[in-house]
Amino acid sequence: MTRRAHVSGSIRRRLLLQLLGSAALLAAILFVTVLGFVRDVAEESHDSILFASATSIMDSVAVNAGEVSVDLPYAALSMLGNVSDDRVFYRVSRAGEVLTGYSDLPAGEATVRAGQPVFETLDYKGETIRMVTSSRRLSLNGAPTDIEVSVAQTQNGQAAILARLSRSALYLGIGFFVLSSALAIWSAQSSVRPLKSLAQAVSRRGPKDLRPVSRPVPSEMAPLVSSLNTFIDRLGVSLTRSEDFIAEAAHRVRTPLATVRTQAEITLRRVEKEENRGSLREMIRAIDETSRASGQLLDHAMVSFRTDSLERADIDLAELARELVERLRPVADLKDIDLHFDSSGTPRMSGDAILIQNAVRNILDNAIKYSPPERQVHIRVAGDGAQARVSIEDEAGGFGTTDTHALTERFVRGENTQGVVGSGLGLTIAREVAEAHGGTLTIETSKSGAGACVTLCFPSH
């Protein structure tokens, strides 16, 4: 049974979320930074124009005939009108006395010193204004006097400009995020590509391909590949030892049992007491059961190993079944059982010939073993281009009330097996072989009702 790896999350998803989160954070920082920068630039530009306008008015202030006169230049206010359609206000005062301009223009809280303009944002007539106040000292009738010039402008135009710049900054941030997201997706794909490539290279290998992984990988993956190669080496050693053990066990178990059985039969012929002869028969039966069980267990182990690494070849299922029938015919003849073979269609398939032969032999052997003497066993092989089937029908009485599905489990035997040597592994082996080839095994009562019909069905090619 194939076990799924415990999945704790996707590296690609984690990396992508981290990169997208970083991109979103950087986009937000970029938006705030650009927005603050353009706001500062806009305010500095506007303040520079306000100061230039105030300076122009200040330069027009002069003392004539002992009085302060102001020849307000047109350019002083027109330069603000060229920037936006906002309203412009001004005021020229001396010692708190308004000489010209808007007398109700609010005064700022900051102290104004000569050569140090003061910029303030104030409320005037229900609107927000930006005002600059500049001071200059003149000599009036031999005494110094301070002249203050204030120039203010509403900020609607500036707010509109800032709104446009804010939208531009927002578009810039969104564009940066989209571009960063595309790069993040590409980076995530590129980062996990070596992992996918390594996984595909390993998954494409056959079960017997235990070569070390030599695919170039990033340095961060080198420990993983090294551990994988170490595991492959240990697995190769383990499989070799297991195969050697099976081969050795087959020899070590079957040969001594055959020798013991032969000696028991020789002794049986020499013993005259019936109670001793009965004990020897029980011993021979136990030897037969042990021999068959050990053989079937070894066959089952062999099947388990080979189903993981099928050596596929083109198989003529009819020819394979015919050879098995001829090979087991002498065994059937000892019980006067007639084997009838029939073939139709083109029953060809792709599979492991040794495993297919093992499965069919186990079913045919069961049919012969459990059938009473002087009965018939029918072996039918057929193919229709899509499937190749081999059916073995006996006259052994069927399985009674036994669950036929359970008969394919290990060590499960039917109700009619009392007194017959068996291990309960034959149908298990046949089912596992069928499933390894993508086929099925079905057990039914024969049409005549005298026995069972076991069918192996494989995909044809």
Side-chain angles (χ1 to χ4, degrees), residues 432-447:
E432 292 181 356
V433 170
E435 292 176 351
H437 288 80
T440 58
L441 180 143
T442 58
I443 304 174
E444 302 172 320
T445 302
S446 61
K447 294 180 180 180

Side-chain angles (χ1 to χ4, degrees), residues 384-423:
D384 55 10
Q387 293 181 332
R389 299 180 300 276
V390 54
S391 300
I392 299 176
E393 182 179 339
D394 59 40
E395 296 178 354
F399 297 103
T401 59
T402 304
D403 181 10
T404 55
H405 178 74
L407 291 173
T408 60
E409 301 299 327
R410 290 192 303 172
F411 310 119
V412 177
R413 305 181 70 191
E415 297 176 352
N416 61 339
T417 60
Q418 289 80 5
V420 181
V421 175
S423 63

